[in-house]
Amino acid sequence: MQHPHADFPMRLQKFLSRAGVASRRGSEDLMTTGRVSVNGQVVRELGTKVDPTLDVITVDGKVISAAGSPTYIMLNKPAGVLTTMDDPHGRPTVAQLVADAGQPALFPVGRLDLDTSGLLLFTTDGELGHRLTHPKYEHYKTYEVRVRGKLDDAALEKLRDGVMLDDGMTAPAKVSYDGHVLTLSIREGRNRQVRRMCEAVGHPVLKLHRTQFGPLQLGKLALGTWRPLTKDEINSLMTD
Ligand code: URA
C-alpha cells in the first residue's frame, strides 16, 4: 500500500535538515556524535530511515517536529558570557542562554567579545550565517560605547575617517557622540575592532554594547534573553 505521506520514510539526516535543525552535513555530525535518538534509541547509522508521522525523533532529548524551516533568533548577550556553543573549561557561554530555544544546531553569526553585551544573532541556516559574515556583504553593526575621558572633535573625526590599527586602516565609520555615549557603526568585523579604534584615539573602552546588526534592532529585549526574529526581520536579512 502506498504510504499516506509520499516523502516518508526518509533518511534521518534529510529529515533533520528539512526540520531546520542543521545543514545536511551538520545533521550527519549530530547523528555520528550520538545526539540523535529515534523512539528512545540513539541512532548513529547515516542510512537510517524514519517516518516522522510515526517515529519520535529527538536531538539532545528535545523532540524535533517537522516544521520545515530554519530557526533565527536574537539574544541580548550579557557581558561575561563567551560567544561559543561549547567551552571545554565550563565557563558561562551563550549556548546556555539559548538552550531553551530547543534547537541544538543553532550557531552564533559572528562574535561578541567576552566583555561586550548586546545583539547577537543565531541561526541554523548555514548559508545565511556564512553570507552575513562574509566581508563582501558585511552589514553595518552599531555599538553604544562608553570610553575613558571625553572625546574631542579631532578624535571623532579620526574614528569617522579611519584609524590606523596594526592590521591596517579602518574603513569610514558612522559616528555620533552626545558627550557621554559614543554611537559607532562599522561594516568591518575585525577582532576587537571597536576597542582597538577607541584605544588608538586615546580613549580606551569602558563599556561596549551592540544595538543593531544590519537591519535588526535589539530594542527592549532584556539582557540575557532571546526572541525569534519576525518574518519581516528574516526577509530583511535575506535581501539587505
Ligand atoms: N568590536 C569590539 O571591539 N568588540 C566586540 O565585541 C565587537 C566589536
Side-chain angles (χ1 to χ4, degrees):
M1 194 181 78
Q2 170 106 44
H3 193 276
H5 192 304
D7 276 352
F8 302 143
M10 69 166 56
R11 288 161 73 87
L12 182 49
Q13 61 266 42
K14 184 169 177 184
F15 166 74
L16 292 171
S17 64
R18 287 240 187 130
V21 171
S23 65
R24 193 69 67 88
R25 188 61 231 291
S27 298
E28 291 176 0
D29 289 345
L30 290 172
M31 290 173 66
T32 53
T33 52
R35 293 170 64 185
V36 182
S37 296
V38 178
N39 303 324
Q41 299 287 316
V42 171
V43 171
R44 295 169 195 266
E45 184 62 50
L46 293 179
T48 304
K49 294 207 167 165
V50 290
D51 182 342
T53 63
L54 304 171
D55 296 319
V56 178
I57 297 144
T58 61
V59 177
D60 293 341
K62 300 225 167 62
V63 176
I64 306 302
S65 65
S69 54
T71 299
Y72 306 88
I73 69 172
M74 71 164 76
L75 170 73
N76 187 350
K77 173 193 169 306
V81 175
L82 287 169
T83 303
T84 175
M85 295 311 279
D86 181 31
D87 180 52
H89 305 292
R91 294 170 292 185
T93 68
V94 294
Q96 292 143 13
L97 297 175
V98 300
D100 56 346
Q103 289 286 3
L106 278 172
F107 64 89
V109 177
R111 204 174 66 85
L112 291 174
D113 295 338
L114 177 66
D115 291 330
T116 303
S117 57
L119 200 171
L120 187 61
L121 173 68
F122 289 77
T123 185
T124 55
D125 180 344
E127 204 178 305
L128 183 82
H130 183 72
R131 191 163 68 80
L132 289 174
T133 51
H134 193 284
K136 191 166 137 195
Y137 298 106
E138 272 194 307
H139 287 84
Y140 273 102
K141 291 154 286 249
T142 301
Y143 299 88
E144 287 177 2
V145 195
R146 287 185 181 268
V147 296
R148 187 175 305 152
K150 295 272 180 214
L151 291 153
D152 60 15
D153 287 345
L156 294 172
E157 212 50 48
K158 275 194 212 159
L159 291 173
R160 202 170 276 133
D161 293 345
V163 179
M164 183 52 93
L165 301 178
D166 53 14
D167 51 0
M169 283 295 273
T170 60
K174 297 182 194 169
V175 174
S176 67
Y177 185 51
D178 66 3
H180 300 282
V181 179
L182 167 71
T183 305
L184 190 64
S185 296
I186 58 173
R187 287 191 66 186
E188 300 168 293
R190 300 192 218 165
N191 193 28
R192 299 179 72 81
Q193 181 164 346
V194 175
R195 293 176 195 279
R196 290 190 293 135
M197 287 172 73
C198 293
E199 180 105 41
V201 298
H203 295 273
V205 167
L206 302 175
K207 216 169 163 194
L208 185 53
H209 180 69
R210 183 156 72 187
T211 56
Q212 290 185 42
F213 182 90
L216 306 179
Q217 309 234 15
L218 187 60
K220 295 200 187 312
L221 187 63
L223 202 62
T225 67
W226 61 268
R227 67 165 178 84
L229 297 194
T230 64
K231 277 213 163 61
D232 284 350
E233 286 174 325
I234 296 167
N235 287 339
S236 68
L237 277 179
M238 308 277 184
T239 54
D240 207 49

